[in-house]
């Protein structure tokens, strides 16, 4: 098993008093002498390679505290991985903790590609594990002497060992390993600045936990590439991914995204005179004036943001600033500054106005994930011939496990609707719900029923049932006794990984409900199509 270790910098590879970044060469030498013998006790077949030819131009040492990492540095890391993809079975990335949650989302999106409807066209097939520490790894008596031992009570050694174990697991995604837990990289938040359990994943469970050994919860892990045709193991797919990343690297600085917190601030308005003002509006206008292309609102609660006019939001200064930003092409995402939970800006009048200014719902995506995801999507749009509507749709779709799935059932994960559960059109204009009495029904936001799987209400003793997108390509509704009551009859015996997709918008008269097959790259059943 061949593992590459990329040392970007951070506390884990600092030494001395005061703490000073070690060069990649000095850190590699210390690891080879002190750490490798321990790793080889448990993994005698491990071939660990410390990368020395990846440096960050901003720093004289070649490594960089994550506080100073910028988007082009994400691209440097991703480019190194793709250029050496066939040479290693997994990667460990040593990284400072300050912006690890941003990198945890940026990397999976930089290493993947998608069609405009969110179908993956390049998929990661190997583990990439990001880790770091709250304490340095090595003790160094003086700058003139090499590190001589591990620091007493450091979390760096345990995190490094856990990351190496996870890098050999075959988990096909970018993860963060910290304090005995392996998390999906685009789900983590730094939630503790002074304890060893620095990271958590508030809206998604850990993928694995290290006790006496690494225990993986397979149900929480992303599935591998659906086929060799989209895997980065395929040389043609890899070259296309490299070409896209080259374009992103050259253009990412032209698509700045920023986060903007809601906070108590002065505002004033005079409805009679039609005037309004406020510091939040002034700041928003200034940001847009600096050329930002995306705006991640960190709203209160379930997505409430001060409009500048409580009774008539459209007359508020902040509302008007956001309306102007949206009209100028800025993509606005309404996240929450609350650590966990799902955004629902329709829950309160204080947030219900946000869709009118173009604000998108990220469901349970973290602000850091929304930031990095939006920046990569915006940058790659021209390369992929996406328009702004495509970018907005992709932002609201679960592409790499970064958010709950809103409009799809996927046979490889999130395959089932239990009674009372639903999927929704991205704009909320329609809902497919597994009704406990009627079974699967599609209804518009007005409540009008558009489609039903069962032509007649079923006998009560058979209900409630389950709607399952099976991995043979068949969408089936099962009774409470596990007998099939309805099916699309699109299954094949050799298997056909598939998705049920609620696409389009009832408001735009292009709503559709269909089954898509990964295997044939075709729609195998159209259950509803708005005319």
């Amino acid at each position: 098993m061949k593992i590459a270790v990329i040392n970007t910098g951070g506390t884990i590879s600092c030494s001395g008093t005061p703490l000073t970044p070690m060069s990649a060469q000095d850190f590699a030498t210390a690891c080879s002498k002190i750490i490798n013998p321990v790793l080889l006790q448990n993994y005698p077949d491990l071939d660990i390679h410390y990368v020395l030819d990846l440096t960050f131009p901003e720093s004289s040492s070649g490594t960089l505290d994550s506080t100073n990492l910028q988007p082009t540095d994400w691209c440097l890391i991703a480019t190194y991985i793709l250029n050496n993809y066939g040479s290693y079975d997994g990667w460990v990335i040593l990284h400072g903790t300050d912006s690890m949650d941003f990198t945890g989302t940026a990397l999976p999106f930089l290493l993947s590609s998608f069609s405009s409807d969110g179908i993956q066209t390049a998929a990661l097939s190997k583990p990439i594990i990001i880790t770091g520490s709250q304490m340095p790894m090595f003790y160094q008596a003086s700058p003139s002497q090499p590190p001589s031992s591990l620091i007493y009570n450091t979390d760096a050694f345990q995190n490094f060992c856990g990351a190496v174990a996870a890098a050999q697991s075959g988990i096909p995604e970018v993860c963060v390993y910290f304090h005995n837990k392996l998390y999906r990289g685009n789900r983590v938040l730094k939630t503790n600045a002074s304890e060893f359990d620095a990271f958590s994943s508030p809206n998604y469970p850990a993928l694995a936990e290290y006790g006496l050994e690494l225990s993986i919860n397979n149900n929480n892990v992303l599935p591998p590439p659906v086929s060799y045709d989209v895997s980065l193991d395929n040389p043609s797919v890899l070259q296309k991914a490299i070409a896209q990343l080259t374009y992103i690297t050259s253009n990412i600085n032209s698509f700045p995204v920023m986060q903007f917190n809601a906070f108590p601030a002065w505002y004033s308005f005079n409805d009679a005179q039609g005037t309004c003002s406020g510091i939040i509006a002034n700041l928003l206008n200034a940001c847009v004036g600096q050329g930002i292309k995306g705006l991640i609102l960190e709203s209160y609660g379930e997505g409430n943001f001060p409009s500048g006019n409580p009774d008539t939001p459209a007359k508020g200064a902040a509302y008007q600033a956001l309306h102007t930003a949206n009209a100028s092409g800025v993509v606005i995402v309404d996240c929450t500054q609350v650590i966990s939970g799902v955004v629902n800006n329709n829950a309160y009048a204080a947030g219900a106005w946000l869709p009118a200014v173009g604000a998108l719902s990220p469901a349970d995506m973290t602000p850091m994930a929304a930031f990095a995801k939006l920046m990569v999507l915006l940058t790659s749009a021209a390369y992929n011939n996406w328009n702004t509507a495509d970018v907005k749709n992709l932002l609201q779709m679960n592409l790499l496990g970064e958010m709950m799935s809103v409009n799809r059932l996927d046979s490889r994960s999130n395959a089932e609707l239990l009674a009372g559960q639903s999927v929704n059109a991205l704009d909320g204009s329609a809902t497919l719900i597994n009704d406990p009495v009627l079974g699967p029904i599609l209804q518009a936001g007005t409540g009008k029923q558009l489609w039903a799987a069962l032509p007649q209400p079923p006998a009560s003793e058979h209900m409630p049932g389950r709607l399952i997108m099976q991995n043979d390509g068949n969408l089936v509704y099962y009774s409470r006794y596990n007998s099939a009551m309805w099916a699309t009859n699109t299954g094949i015996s050799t298997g056909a990984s598939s998705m049920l997709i609620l696409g389009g918008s009832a408001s735009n008269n292009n709503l559709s409900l269909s089954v898509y097959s990964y295997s044939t790259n075709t729609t195998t059943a159209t259950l509803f199509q708005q005319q």
Side-chain angles (χ1 to χ4, degrees):
M1 182 70 72
K2 194 170 184 179
I3 303 298
V5 177
I6 297 174
N7 178 19
T8 71
T11 301
I12 193 169
S13 59
C14 286
S15 65
T17 305
L19 290 175
T20 305
M22 300 173 66
S23 69
Q25 177 64 73
D26 289 345
F27 184 80
T29 300
C31 284
S32 297
K33 178 182 177 181
I34 300 171
I35 304 297
N36 282 15
V38 180
L39 293 174
L40 291 172
Q41 289 177 21
N42 204 48
Y43 306 110
D45 296 325
L46 177 65
D47 181 1
I48 190 164
H49 172 71
Y50 295 92
V51 171
L52 301 178
D53 55 342
L54 173 60
T55 59
F56 298 93
E58 303 95 322
S59 170
S60 59
S61 69
T63 58
L64 195 62
D65 190 289
S66 72
T67 301
N68 293 310
L69 278 173
Q70 54 184 317
T72 50
D73 295 317
W74 300 334
C75 297
L76 283 175
I77 300 167
T79 297
Y80 190 92
I81 291 171
L82 288 184
N83 285 341
N84 296 275
Y85 196 79
S87 300
Y88 301 101
D89 301 300
W91 285 263
V92 171
I93 299 175
L94 305 180
H95 196 289
T97 60
D98 284 347
S99 64
M100 190 180 290
D101 40 12
F102 289 92
T103 303
T105 296
L107 284 183
F109 280 96
L110 292 169
L111 297 168
S112 305
S113 63
F114 303 87
S115 66
S116 61
D117 52 3
I119 305 300
Q120 202 164 7
T121 54
L124 189 67
S125 62
K126 300 175 182 180
I128 298 173
I129 313 299
I130 308 172
T131 195
S133 62
Q134 300 284 63
M135 294 281 290
M137 179 88 83
F138 296 117
Y139 171 75
Q140 189 174 16
S142 71
S144 61
Q145 296 177 326
S148 57
S149 65
L150 294 174
I151 283 185
Y152 174 74
N153 196 35
T154 179
D155 61 331
F157 177 68
Q158 294 294 339
N159 287 349
F160 186 73
C161 290
V164 169
Q168 300 175 77
S169 67
I171 291 176
E173 52 178 303
V174 176
C175 304
V176 165
Y177 184 89
F178 227 90
H179 195 58
N180 300 329
K181 287 186 171 62
L182 184 69
Y183 301 111
R184 178 163 298 153
N186 53 35
R187 287 285 196 161
V188 297
L189 289 171
K190 186 175 182 181
T191 51
N192 198 315
S194 57
E195 302 293 337
F196 286 160
D197 58 340
F199 287 87
S200 58
S201 178
N203 290 324
Y204 196 80
L207 307 185
E209 186 168 0
Y210 215 137
L212 295 177
E213 59 184 22
L214 186 67
S215 177
I216 299 173
N217 188 332
N218 294 328
N219 292 331
N220 296 339
V221 176
L222 287 176
V226 70
S227 71
Y228 182 72
D229 292 338
V230 299
S231 173
L232 289 175
D233 293 315
N234 183 327
S236 64
V237 174
L238 180 61
Q239 288 307 308
K240 290 177 182 177
I242 291 173
Q244 175 182 267
L245 181 55
T246 300
Y247 177 88
I248 292 173
T249 303
S250 298
N251 292 279
I252 196 166
N253 286 341
S254 299
F255 293 88
V257 175
M258 73 164 292
Q259 294 169 287
F260 193 101
N261 259 35
F263 61 95
W266 72 265
Y267 62 89
S268 63
F269 57 89
N270 187 316
D271 287 345
Q273 297 179 8
T275 61
C276 58
S277 59
I279 191 169
I280 288 179
N282 294 343
L283 291 172
L284 287 169
N285 288 329
C287 294
V288 174
Q290 288 296 306
I292 64 166
K293 307 300 183 185
L295 183 62
I296 310 299
L297 300 180
E298 295 193 44
S299 297
Y300 298 126
E302 292 184 82
N304 304 322
F305 196 84
S307 66
N309 188 317
D311 295 328
T312 314
K315 295 183 178 180
Y319 179 107
Q320 293 177 17
L322 289 171
H323 184 273
T324 300
N326 178 57
S328 69
V330 176
V331 178
I332 303 169
V333 184
D334 182 30
C335 288
T336 175
Q337 57 189 257
V338 181
I339 289 176
S340 64
V342 180
V343 168
N344 176 16
N345 51 32
N346 288 315
Y348 296 89
W353 58 271
L354 282 159
V357 298
L360 308 176
S361 174
D364 60 350
M365 191 161 40
T366 68
M368 292 73 179
F371 176 96
K373 178 182 180 181
L374 180 57
M375 184 177 288
V376 174
L377 291 176
L378 285 169
T379 307
S380 59
Y383 184 85
N384 290 299
N385 296 314
W386 297 337
N387 57 32
T388 301
D390 293 329
V391 171
K392 290 181 176 181
N393 285 337
L394 289 168
L395 188 281
Q396 295 176 98
M397 292 181 192
N398 174 29
L399 300 177
L400 292 170
E402 72 281 1
M403 60 185 287
M404 62 189 294
S405 188
V406 175
N407 69 326
R408 298 178 174 183
L409 294 182
D410 193 314
S411 67
R412 301 185 305 150
S413 61
N414 186 47
E416 189 169 337
L417 277 187
L418 299 177
Q421 294 182 329
S422 61
V423 293
N424 303 285
L426 292 177
D427 65 353
S429 62
T431 300
L432 173 69
I433 185 170
N434 181 6
D435 188 276
V437 176
L438 302 176
I441 57 172
L442 176 65
Q443 56 189 24
T446 59
K448 178 184 177 181
Q449 183 171 308
L450 304 174
W451 173 88
L454 305 175
Q456 300 294 331
S460 59
E461 62 266 22
H462 295 298
M463 303 300 283
R466 298 167 297 137
L467 182 66
I468 302 178
M469 184 69 257
Q470 297 182 166
N471 219 27
D472 64 353
N474 203 12
L475 179 68
V476 185
Y477 185 68
Y478 290 96
S479 74
R480 70 189 302 173
Y481 304 118
N482 208 38
S483 61
M485 300 177 67
W486 172 89
T488 55
N489 297 317
T490 49
I492 60 174
S493 59
T494 54
S497 297
S498 300
M499 286 193 295
L500 174 66
I501 304 173
L502 181 55
S505 167
S507 301
N508 296 332
N509 294 316
N510 62 356
L511 187 73
S512 66
L513 182 65
S514 59
V515 176
Y516 168 86
S517 170
Y518 288 108
S519 303
T520 60
N521 195 28
T522 59
T523 297
T524 55
T526 299
L527 306 177
F528 176 82
Q529 180 65 62
Q530 203 168 29
Q531 301 297 327

